[in-house]
Amino acid sequence: MDAMNPTALNRKLSAFVALSEAELGVLDRLQRRRRRFAAGHDMVQQGQAPSRIYLLVSGWVCSYKVQADGTRQIVDFQVAGDFLGLRSLLLRTSDHSFEPVVDSYAAEVSAADLLAAFDEAPRLAISMLWAASRDQAMVVEHLVGVGRRDADARMAHFLLELGARLALVGLGDGDGYDCPLTQYHLADALGLTAIHVNRTLRRLRERGLMTFRDGHVHVEDRQGLVTLAGFDPAYLDQTGPLLA
């Protein structure tokens, strides 16, 4: 996606609310103040008191927490159309950090601009509440994955979820998607070691379910992958607008 193309967020929120031209215009204005963020350099640090949120226009970002022993737990990955730091405006400080995985573009939005947009287009506030609720549902699934799924099911579920999220904003389809994540990213996100990630991906490949090679995930047997993961996409709530 071109760095100046705002359609990812529009497409994502339109999965919940059938946004009018006027509402889309307000949404586009929120995305005008854009910055480039270099890979590997935090956009927001844990404990920081941010005065703005970010709307990811293009690229990939990981949100993570650092433990006292220096280890990192990746909470989630953000893709185009996702919000960064929305909760922090209410909690006053960020409870985790955001780091671009690749060079990324994001729109900066102040709290005042966000409230003004909600005042002008109240249904935008409803759609963003939906997006925040959906993010929370994904956190619940990730917790279940780390706590109860074995490594193969955990990996399969994560990659299927990621594919569904990318398909929603036009960055993938049922056959696969581009993915810049390394085995170290996957290890920190899934509670595995990098060696365990490598072995898990090899097993999925040898079973003819999927391959992850050269930055691309290719799904070879989608139904088999779904069955292995016990994947039910209902929690992603992206089958069509609920509000006309």
Side-chain angles (χ1 to χ4, degrees), residues 101-233:
V101 174
V102 296
D103 291 351
S104 302
Y105 285 85
E108 291 185 324
V109 180
S110 69
D113 287 344
L114 190 62
L115 291 175
F118 290 167
D119 186 58
E120 183 177 354
R123 295 203 314 167
L124 280 184
I126 298 173
S127 66
M128 290 188 185
L129 177 61
W130 166 80
S133 299
R134 181 172 173 266
D135 288 346
Q136 183 63 34
M138 288 191 290
V139 169
V140 171
E141 282 295 330
H142 296 174
L143 178 61
V144 172
V146 171
R148 293 298 178 184
R149 296 186 182 108
D150 64 29
D152 289 9
R154 196 182 311 175
M155 181 69 72
H157 196 283
F158 172 78
L159 294 176
L160 285 167
E161 177 190 275
L162 195 53
R165 293 171 60 192
L166 290 167
L168 179 65
V169 295
L171 295 177
D173 56 35
D175 294 329
Y177 50 91
D178 290 334
C179 180
L181 304 181
T182 68
Q183 292 185 5
Y184 294 100
H185 288 122
L186 295 175
D188 286 348
L190 299 178
L192 304 170
T193 65
I195 293 176
H196 202 172
V197 166
N198 183 277
R199 292 172 178 167
T200 301
L201 291 173
R202 186 178 67 224
R203 285 194 298 270
L204 295 180
R205 182 178 68 250
E206 290 173 346
R207 294 172 65 174
L209 298 175
M210 54 78 62
T211 59
F212 187 179
R213 183 181 293 120
D214 299 326
H216 186 80
V217 173
H218 176 64
V219 177
E220 298 178 0
D221 179 357
R222 181 174 181 81
Q223 188 53 53
L225 205 60
V226 167
T227 299
L228 171 64
F231 183 71
D232 179 355

Side-chain angles (χ1 to χ4, degrees), residues 49-112:
S51 58
R52 60 188 62 84
I53 67 167
Y54 296 98
L55 309 177
L56 191 58
V57 177
S58 67
W60 290 62
V61 172
C62 68
S63 50
Y64 70 94
K65 290 180 72 75
V66 175
Q67 305 304 301
D69 62 0
T71 58
R72 179 175 76 164
Q73 174 66 47
I74 291 180
V75 180
D76 200 3
F77 296 97
Q78 285 73 40
V79 298
D82 285 347
F83 299 92
L84 308 175
L86 185 60
R87 186 172 70 250
S88 301
L89 285 179
L90 301 177
L91 297 180
R92 297 185 176 87
T93 60
S94 179
D95 60 353
H96 55 279
S97 302
F98 294 96
E99 176 188 298
V101 174
V102 296
D103 291 351
S104 302
Y105 285 85
E108 291 185 324
V109 180
S110 69

